[in-house]
Amino acid sequence: MAAWLDAVLVLLMLSGFWLLGSSRLQACIRTVAIQGVLLGLIPLLSEWPDVTPRLAVVAAISALIKAVILPYLLRRAIREANVRHEVDPMVGFTTSLLFGIGLWGISMYLASRLPVAEASVSSLQVPVSIFMVLCGLFLIVSRNTAVMQAIGYLALENGIYGFGWAFAIEEPLLVEMGVLLDVFVGVFVMGITIHHLSREFDTIETDELASLKD
Amino acid sequence: MLWWLIGVPVVCALLCLLLRWNRPRRVLLVVAAALHSLLSLFAVTHAPPAQLYGWIALDAAGSLFLIITSGIFLVAACYAVGYLARESAPLRGAEASEAPFANYSEAVFTACLLFFLASMTLVVVSRHWGLLWVAVEGTTLASAPLIYFHRHARSLEATWKYLMICSVGIALALLGNFFLAVAVRESALGGLHLSMSGLEEQARTLNPLWLRAAFLLILVGYGTKMGLVPLHTWKPDAYSEAPSMVSALLSGVLSNCAFLALLRAHSLMVRAGLGDFSRELFVMFGLISMAVASIFLIQQLDYKRLLAYSSVEHMGILVLGAGIGGAAGYGGMLHALNHSLAKSMLFLAAGNTLALFRTKSTLAARGAIRLQPVTGVLWVLGMLAITGSPPFGTFLSELMVLKGVLDGGRSLVGAVYLAAICIAFIGISAVILPLVYGNSQAFAGQESPHANEQGPAERSRESWWALAPPLVLAVVAVVLGVYLPPPLAQLLHDAASAVGVE
């Protein structure tokens, strides 16, 4: 199953690049949803063939939330705000892709500095997770629409979750559920805020939010 | 027992959502806060048994911060009663047609206040890293609607920034938790459990490399929540746009909860023999926060932003104290308590002044003492308290931190510390003194645009709901400066040694 696991991890890495290079919000939301499904596969593949029912249930719930419910909330937000594209990002899409290559390099470097002795963990696990975290951070600071920032937050959260799957599987269920709940509520609250933003400012471009400063 | 502490606010919050009438809901808010305070006092004095495999337990540090949380919340809840009554009063004629915003539903607001209390209580009693994370994230989510109580473009902007910056920060803290899990896994222990007491017992066997990385991420994560420079950017916006008692809670209580989370991480590092690493980072963050915040205090044009930057400065003092340790560690604990009292009181006074002048500009709001004598006096007392003047408790605690710094022979740190405090004193008094005693010419010659609109003079009546809460805080702040009850002093010592800063 190791080969399949690596394939999933590579797909996750590519999805990060896709997020960096795409201007269509719909497509980005779909990408984040696909990441949710892939993340659900990771624990199943890495524990195969002894998957406990508990593990399967947690994986299924996390996939459900990350691949169905959260994308639904984000889609609703863009429908209400009536935006389809990230029009004028602070860093252009081609440049973002170049940055992405740099981020991948940083991730590989950091991962090499933090060695994992265990054999059961794929060597791609740590760099891919760090890469997704960095991609999320980059999206949050370099994009203007609030929806895109929320997508960036989700990508960041996915990266952290992927890292968690690799190591923290034996943690009791409660914590995982708490984490999922928090992310769910977080995106929910962000969705409501985006809704208010679009009504109040007629736009969800966050660079319009500049009345508070020193 | 400990479940009750979290359960009471949650149940009352749900009731608040169901209740259709405003008055009973406000009564319920105060009742819930009072009940929580009584339970907290009982819990602190009776040492309740740990719950949920020991994940929820109350140690000395938790007790100290539980008292602060519960006490300040009770005061803020009383203030909220008067505030909500004032906000929901029907506007008259021209005011109603020109009202710039409609408020958020009061039921949701009250419920969120209580959820906020519940999540902060959970932060304080968490003895498990995962649970602590869930609780801290919970505080962000419960407080975001509070900041957006006034449905106004500016408060929306503040809410978005708060939500985004804090969520990202907290997400990094989650990564820190996972790194911690790896540090356990890569150690000889095998097995995974993130319970704090378990980790502290076996701290020396943890993998130091991963532990250090975990500490860095946790510091950035909870440091964002605490508002350490350069992670403080949401703070002035959120504090200035939130209703005043919410600002008081954010500054006086929530920052302390984040500080407690950092102390927990520090305590683990100390027990793992990596104390020097975390100490140096604390000192660095503390000094930078103090220096930058004190510069932003000068010529500040918005008195609530002024208080926010002062909050950043005091957070710097707290982590500096914890980083230096010894007498400074104890001083830092005492300062957490004193700062909560003084800053909450100032924010409540600012709420009264804002209701009077309807502007946060320090250029327009002047001469508060002539219109609201009691609030004016509160401002002056608060100014003395927050700048660390005797006889207030802050004087004592800031002096202790300085003593700790000099005991350790860190004279350069001491110099920066003193300089920042002096600059802050000048900056704060230069803004607050004109606000209180200044010449209110701005209003003397100004004709009201609407004949039936109330001017500041007519709005100057001060109600007891608006005055009693900050007055109580002022009295406690003075008393603690003169006389520290022995049980409290003991608790402070225990708290400091529980988290390894003394």
Side-chain angles (χ1 to χ4, degrees), chain A residues 113-118 120-121 126 130 133 137 140 145-147 149-150 152-153 156-157 159-161 163-172 174-175 178-179 181-183 185-187 189-194 196-201 206 208-214, chain B residues 52-53 55 100 104 128 130-131 133-138 141 144-145 148 151-161 163-164 167-175 178-179 181-182 185-186 191-195 207 209-210 213 236-238 240-241 296 300-301 305 309:
Chain A
R113 294 290 304 275
L114 292 168
V116 181
E118 225 153 314
S120 73
V121 177
V126 179
I130 297 178
V133 169
L137 280 175
I140 291 169
T145 52
V147 175
Q149 291 176 351
Y153 171 69
L156 169 90
E157 211 41 90
I160 294 171
Y161 212 74
F163 187 88
W165 270 133
F167 296 100
I169 311 175
E170 287 135 62
E171 266 295 289
L174 192 76
V175 173
V179 169
L181 182 75
D182 272 343
V183 173
V185 180
V187 173
V189 175
M190 278 179 197
I192 295 175
T193 316
I194 290 171
H196 284 294
L197 279 174
S198 66
R199 233 187 22 197
E200 189 72 46
F201 293 94
T206 48
E208 304 274 322
L209 301 180
S211 60
L212 299 175
K213 59 185 173 212
D214 282 294
Chain B
L52 198 77
Y53 332 111
W55 293 5
Y104 217 77
H128 182 279
L131 198 61
W133 184 85
V134 170
V136 175
E137 174 70 8
L141 299 174
Y148 188 40
R151 291 188 160 194
H152 186 280
R154 281 199 316 273
S155 56
L156 185 59
E157 178 182 339
T159 310
W160 178 255
K161 286 180 182 167
L163 202 56
M164 208 63 217
S167 297
V168 170
I170 303 287
L172 293 179
L174 178 62
L175 191 59
F178 286 141
F179 273 36
V182 178
R185 206 172 200 190
E186 294 292 309
L192 275 180
H193 50 88
L194 288 178
S195 100
N207 179 313
L209 189 64
W210 283 92
D237 298 349
S240 65
E241 295 309 319
F296 275 95
Q300 186 52 247
L301 296 175
R305 289 180 86 85
Y309 278 113

Side-chain angles (χ1 to χ4, degrees), chain B residues 12-90:
Chain B
C12 292
L14 294 175
L15 278 178
C16 279
L17 286 175
L18 293 175
L19 271 178
R20 299 218 154 269
W21 307 280
N22 283 341
R23 273 168 184 278
R25 203 185 300 117
R26 290 175 203 151
V27 174
L28 185 62
L29 173 66
V30 176
V31 169
L35 210 56
H36 189 269
S37 298
L38 286 177
L39 283 170
S40 304
L41 270 184
F42 188 78
V44 168
T45 45
H46 285 75
Q51 305 285 335
L52 198 77
Y53 332 111
W55 293 5
I56 293 185
L58 198 62
D59 66 342
S63 301
L64 172 66
F65 286 93
L66 181 63
I67 292 178
I68 300 178
T69 305
S70 200
I72 304 274
F73 189 87
L74 179 59
V75 173
C78 293
Y79 187 89
V81 172
Y83 183 87
L84 290 172
R86 200 168 63 210
E87 288 287 319
S88 67

Side-chain angles (χ1 to χ4, degrees), chain B residues 115-133:
Chain B
F115 280 130
F116 190 36
L117 175 63
S119 50
M120 287 190 296
T121 311
L122 188 59
V123 172
V124 170
V125 297
S126 288
R127 298 292 288 144
H128 182 279
W129 285 103
L131 198 61
L132 177 74
W133 184 85

Side-chain angles (χ1 to χ4, degrees), chain A residues 94-172:
Chain A
T94 322
T95 327
S96 296
L97 280 173
L98 290 177
F99 267 106
I101 295 168
L103 293 179
W104 177 246
I106 295 173
S107 317
M108 290 298 273
Y109 171 73
L110 285 177
S112 71
R113 294 290 304 275
L114 292 168
V116 181
E118 225 153 314
S120 73
V121 177
S122 162
S123 60
L124 275 175
Q125 188 86 53
V126 179
V128 167
S129 309
I130 297 178
F131 176 66
M132 282 166 76
V133 169
L134 292 178
C135 275
L137 280 175
F138 184 78
L139 286 177
I140 291 169
V141 296
S142 69
R143 299 296 188 257
N144 276 334
T145 52
V147 175
M148 206 59 193
Q149 291 176 351
I151 291 173
Y153 171 69
L154 219 50
L156 169 90
E157 211 41 90
N158 280 346
I160 294 171
Y161 212 74
F163 187 88
W165 270 133
F167 296 100
I169 311 175
E170 287 135 62
E171 266 295 289

Side-chain angles (χ1 to χ4, degrees), chain B residues 327-348:
Chain B
Y330 174 80
M333 291 290 160
L334 183 59
H335 197 69
L337 174 62
N338 288 325
H339 167 254
S340 293
L341 292 167
K343 189 54 62 60
S344 306
M345 165 186 140
L346 270 173
F347 268 118
L348 298 185

